Amino acid sequence: MKTLVTGARGKIGRAVVDRLHAAGHTVRAASASPAELTVPAGVEVAELALDRPETFTAALGGVRQVFLYPQPAGIHELITAAEAAGVEHVVLLSSSSVLGPDAADDPLASHSLRVEQALAASALTCTFLRPDAFASNALGWAWSIGRSMPVQLAYPGAHIAPIHPEDIADIAVAALTGQALRGTSPTLTGAESLSFREQLAILADTLGRDVPVEHITRAEAEQQLGHHMPAPMVSSLLDLWEAADRHGPAVVADTTETLLGRPARPFRQWARENAAAFTAAH
């Protein structure tokens, strides 16, 4: 059974490709820039841009399963092409944000929700993986930490249960190669609730030096984040963090422990593995 992995240049997509190939499965790695892919020998490479339907037919030829990144543009054309190609199962890397009460109108959630809704209305068997916060989101602090500057946060007490991206890859592969997760929609988290301040303390301990935290106003945070993302997205993100700050410890949902019987990788492990990212400019 051939599996197409979209977004194979990304860390999770590449990890899924590597795991499937190592286990002896036939896999095709797809990217909008296939020439930039680095894949194991024996892995097919294909061009597939999720917003360019003209790339779909060739990429899906002979494929029975797809690991899919969410891209609303072109999703209906992709579903049509997948059904015509004989695809049976899609594992979507969605988001826990789709579970929010205003997900359809939320700029963070609606992106994934529209893809879920289109897939749910299709004839394909679908598995929706809904990770909460990624441990790798902490890389957003790397610039400040690497320069020994305070990390400025409007809600330093906001709690999340960060999941290691490698855990997501393990769960995705299990969904693609077994029956237990097929057709399910698990919410994925790490095994521990940590505030931003606690995550920064772990990074400080890992790096062996102080990482100061500076509390800033929401307006200041809006101005900073506005340099990197549209205002509606900034507002949605800060609303999320404000709620996480107000509600205390985050809910621990499905983990590799509950789904696969393996301990979840802790945030401290992610910090050790990525310490260099926080020291390059130090």
Side-chain angles (χ1 to χ4, degrees):
M1 179 185 295
K2 184 176 293 184
T3 299
L4 177 72
V5 177
T6 72
R9 288 176 61 207
K11 287 195 173 182
I12 294 176
R14 174 60 196 269
V16 170
V17 168
D18 290 348
R19 284 161 167 74
L20 288 173
H21 178 69
H25 299 281
T26 305
V27 59
R28 177 181 294 159
S31 169
S33 303
E36 298 177 19
L37 284 173
T38 302
V39 298
V43 171
E44 295 180 19
V45 172
E47 179 183 11
L48 189 147
L50 293 172
D51 59 351
R52 298 206 328 262
E54 65 271 18
T55 65
F56 295 167
T57 299
L60 288 164
V63 167
R64 292 296 171 266
Q65 293 195 112
V66 177
F67 176 70
L68 182 65
Y69 276 74
Q71 171 56 264
I75 184 58
H76 296 289
E77 293 87 347
L78 181 68
I79 288 170
T80 298
E83 291 175 339
V87 171
E88 300 167 358
H89 181 210
V90 174
V91 174
L92 175 70
L93 182 61
S94 185
S95 166
S96 66
S97 63
V98 302
L99 301 172
D102 302 314
D105 300 314
D106 186 288
L108 291 174
S110 60
H111 190 89
S112 295
L113 182 62
R114 282 181 284 161
V115 177
E116 282 200 14
Q117 290 172 334
L119 287 168
S122 75
L124 302 167
T125 298
C126 300
T127 301
F128 299 146
L129 303 182
R130 295 168 173 164
D132 203 50
F134 286 31
S136 51
N137 290 349
L139 290 170
W141 302 324
W143 192 90
S144 296
I145 294 174
R147 289 160 178 78
S148 296
M149 296 170 62
V151 175
Q152 297 181 322
L153 296 171
Y155 303 106
H159 271 260
I160 61 174
I163 183 169
H164 196 302
E166 295 289 336
D167 282 359
I168 299 173
D170 284 344
I171 293 167
V173 170
L176 289 163
T177 58
Q179 295 297 315
L181 297 179
R182 192 179 179 97
T184 66
S185 302
T187 299
L188 309 179
T189 69
E192 56 186 342
S193 175
L194 295 168
S195 69
F196 290 151
R197 195 183 294 277
E198 288 169 336
Q199 290 178 65
L200 287 163
I202 290 171
L203 284 167
D205 185 55
T206 301
L207 298 171
R209 57 188 174 86
D210 185 46
V211 176
V213 180
E214 181 180 335
H215 189 191
I216 61 174
T217 66
R218 178 177 176 125
E220 289 170 326
E222 286 174 345
Q223 185 176 22
Q224 289 183 5
L225 293 169
H227 295 305
H228 311 291
M229 60 182 74
M233 194 169 291
V234 169
S235 180
S236 177
L237 188 60
L238 288 171
D239 286 347
L240 184 69
W241 290 346
E242 182 180 15
D245 185 49
R246 187 171 61 248
H247 294 154
V251 173
V252 172
D254 281 311
T255 67
T256 54
E257 182 75 51
T258 62
L259 296 176
L260 308 180
R262 304 178 210 153
R265 296 172 175 87
F267 181 78
R268 186 172 293 275
Q269 176 179 338
W270 181 90
R272 288 196 305 268
E273 293 167 351
N274 293 274
F278 299 89
T279 59
H282 182 60

